[in-house]
Amino acid sequence: MPRGEFHLFACRSGEAYAKKIVQQLVFLLDQRKQELLKKKSPTLYEQRELAFLRNTREKGASLGRVRIIHFNDDEMNVQLEEDENVRDRDVFLIQCPYNTASGLTLSQNLFETFNFLDALRHAKARSITLVSLYFPYARGDKQHGKDGVPASLMANLLTTAGMDAIMTLDLHADQITGFFDPVKVRVEHLHASPLFIHYFKDTLHPDAKVVAPDTGAAKRTQFYAQNLKREMVLAYKKRSYRVKHEVDDLQILGDPGDGSVLIIDDIVSSGGSVIKVMDELAKEGVKKAFVACTHPLLIGNAIEKLDALYNDPKHPFTKLVATDVIPHNGNIKSKPWYVEIDTSRFIAKAIYEVHTSGSLTKLHQPFCVGKHDLWVGTDKG
Ligand code: R5P
């Protein structure tokens, strides 16, 4: 059962996304209240949930007030406002660690997260769940030669800073959950697949193939292929680990056909990997390539490269459909090839379930978005 109202806070780069979460929480609270009010004989649990919903007004789903002082030497200080009381409360802290619209770097966002967790811990919060839907450094999940394992370091640093749980979306590799000590930290690992499946189920060509851009993506892509009832094709990618993120060679395993494909990638960063996959698919005769991507980092000149491909009539690149967990400015949203899926109601539902000791199982079901009314839409209507 909920142990009191919602206490939501946001780091600077997470603020715009957190406001969408607040709006969707208010919607969900109301929807659930109406649902429970209709029940003729609610269970004891439901009666208690209804009492919680009645007590939770606007205040229960608004953002806590903080002052973040960012000094000239790049140090920072996070202070909760005097009248913000989180003693013995369950708190959610929302952060978008990679945010091209905020003007803050990934490292600055990380240090702000550490400071924020520390401030909440010192303010005696009972539990702190960090909602960081992109997990930075996730691609550093194994050692190659004499480097470290930054994904594991990140898990340790966030734990040390004071979080009790992390809610995240499409970790680069499932096994990253094992980098957290289960005695200290709960990992709520969600997947964006129900949102993408909802978007593509009626729009994807019946003969389209679903493509895994590398072997690491095979399991995730199989889930899409099975539920969209399409065949799967695999791109086998060899990387040079001297230059970590560069692709040396790529082979398409399976028949992609000569129509449409849907490529499923968790991250599009420089765009190099997905472009190489599309180039190879084009050689095999593919005419249209759609890309579904959870974390569109789009660094460097990725946008310009995709723009050029979109404007090349011989190239199959058609659309990049991405989530809004990596905030971007309006420049990219105006691109005809870019579609941004709003994840806020889906994530608000997860926050509601965690806070009310409910269950996240339903959010792992491939068709849960339509079934539970979790679709807000896309920036293209
Ligand atoms: C690789 O394993 C990831 O899933 C992404 O495909 C990759 O990291 C994207 O990086 P980039 O866009 O720079 O090739």
Side-chain angles (χ1 to χ4, degrees):
M1 272 321 285
R3 296 186 285 186
E5 64 199 19
F6 284 98
H7 282 267
L8 303 167
F9 287 88
C11 296
R12 284 175 294 174
S13 283
E15 202 177 322
Y17 186 76
K19 284 183 179 157
K20 295 206 280 185
I21 293 286
V22 166
Q23 203 184 342
Q24 293 304 327
L25 266 176
V26 171
F27 170 87
L28 291 173
L29 290 167
D30 202 49
Q31 193 190 48
R32 182 73 180 139
K33 193 158 72 185
Q34 301 310 326
E35 207 176 288
L36 290 175
L37 283 171
K38 279 191 207 134
K39 296 219 165 184
K40 288 210 175 82
S41 38
T43 61
L44 187 60
Y45 183 92
E46 287 167 342
Q47 287 173 35
R48 286 167 64 189
E49 192 180 351
L50 191 56
F52 157 72
L53 290 165
R54 281 194 170 119
N55 288 333
T56 307
R57 297 272 179 270
E58 282 283 300
K59 170 80 183 93
S62 59
L63 287 180
R65 285 168 311 108
V66 285
R67 205 172 323 150
I68 296 168
I69 305 160
H70 200 149
F71 301 101
N72 289 342
D73 62 359
D74 209 24
E75 288 187 359
M76 48 189 102
N77 185 268
V78 177
Q79 295 172 1
L80 306 194
E81 291 291 354
E82 285 278 303
D83 53 352
E84 282 294 347
N85 180 13
V86 296
R87 180 180 287 276
D88 287 334
R89 311 288 160 88
D90 298 312
V91 171
F92 292 86
L93 172 63
I94 298 168
Q95 172 63 303
C96 296
Y98 193 76
N99 180 338
T100 62
S102 71
L104 296 168
T105 65
L106 178 88
S107 302
Q108 287 171 333
N109 285 328
L110 280 171
F111 266 91
E112 189 172 314
T113 312
F114 299 146
N115 275 298
F116 217 130
L117 290 169
D118 190 51
L120 290 167
R121 188 49 77 203
H122 279 91
K124 318 290 186 294
R126 175 169 42 204
S127 77
I128 310 166
T129 299
L130 173 65
V131 180
S132 180
L133 301 169
Y134 173 58
F135 187 74
Y137 288 94
R139 286 176 287 177
D141 61 347
K142 34 183 121 48
Q143 197 183 20
H144 302 285
K146 289 195 171 178
D147 56 1
V149 184
S152 151
L153 174 68
M154 199 45 59
N156 289 332
L157 290 173
L158 289 167
T159 307
T160 302
M163 68 174 192
D164 301 279
I166 181 163
M167 181 177 287
T168 190
L169 191 69
D170 282 341
L171 280 171
H172 178 62
D174 285 343
Q175 56 270 26
I176 292 173
T177 56
F179 291 166
F180 294 91
D181 179 346
V183 176
K184 293 186 185 150
V185 173
R186 281 177 294 122
V187 183
E188 313 286 6
H189 184 198
L190 296 159
H191 300 285
S193 44
L195 290 153
F196 286 121
I197 287 174
H198 185 82
Y199 178 84
F200 281 107
K201 70 180 173 17
D202 301 323
T203 52
L204 196 62
H205 191 277
D207 296 329
K209 308 280 173 88
V210 182
V211 181
D214 53 47
T215 44
K219 193 175 147 221
R220 180 185 302 129
T221 308
Q222 197 184 20
F223 185 82
Y224 282 81
Q226 260 168 8
N227 289 294
L228 290 168
K229 297 195 170 43
R230 303 295 201 285
E231 272 176 46
M232 176 173 143
V233 171
L234 179 70
Y236 180 67
K237 180 164 87 180
K238 277 196 229 152
R239 277 189 189 281
S240 153
Y241 282 103
R242 273 161 293 133
V243 192
K244 234 185 175 175
H245 294 302
E246 249 171 44
V247 180
D248 275 350
D249 185 32
L250 197 138
Q251 272 173 281
I252 304 293
L253 306 181
D255 175 15
D258 57 4
S260 303
V261 293
L262 169 61
I263 304 167
I264 311 292
D265 211 347
D266 61 328
I267 300 172
V268 174
S269 182
S270 67
S273 308
V274 82
I275 290 174
K276 189 134 181 112
V277 174
M278 288 194 286
D279 290 348
E280 289 302 315
L281 288 165
K283 287 183 200 158
E284 307 250 339
V286 166
K287 302 284 180 313
K288 281 187 170 189
F290 296 83
V291 181
C293 165
T294 311
H295 305 295
L297 306 185
L298 300 170
I299 60 163
N301 61 350
I303 297 176
E304 288 74 17
K305 285 193 284 189
L306 290 170
D307 239 352
L309 296 183
Y310 180 77
N311 290 318
D312 176 355
K314 292 199 194 83
H315 200 274
F317 175 55
T318 306
K319 260 189 184 26
L320 171 60
V321 182
T323 76
D324 58 351
V325 305
I326 306 291
H328 288 284
N329 59 30
N331 181 28
I332 182 157
K333 293 188 197 168
S334 63
K335 300 285 176 198
W337 47 265
Y338 192 76
V339 177
E340 187 180 88
I341 289 183
D342 190 325
T343 59
S344 59
R345 193 177 297 170
F346 182 77
I347 299 300
K349 177 75 171 163
I351 292 175
Y352 182 86
E353 291 295 324
V354 168
H355 189 64
T356 56
S357 310
S359 162
L360 293 187
T361 306
K362 53 172 112 32
L363 297 184
H364 291 286
Q365 304 304 321
F367 298 102
C368 66
V369 168
K371 189 169 169 202
H372 299 291
D373 188 16
L374 299 174
W375 184 247
V376 179
T378 70
D379 60 342
K380 301 279 188 288

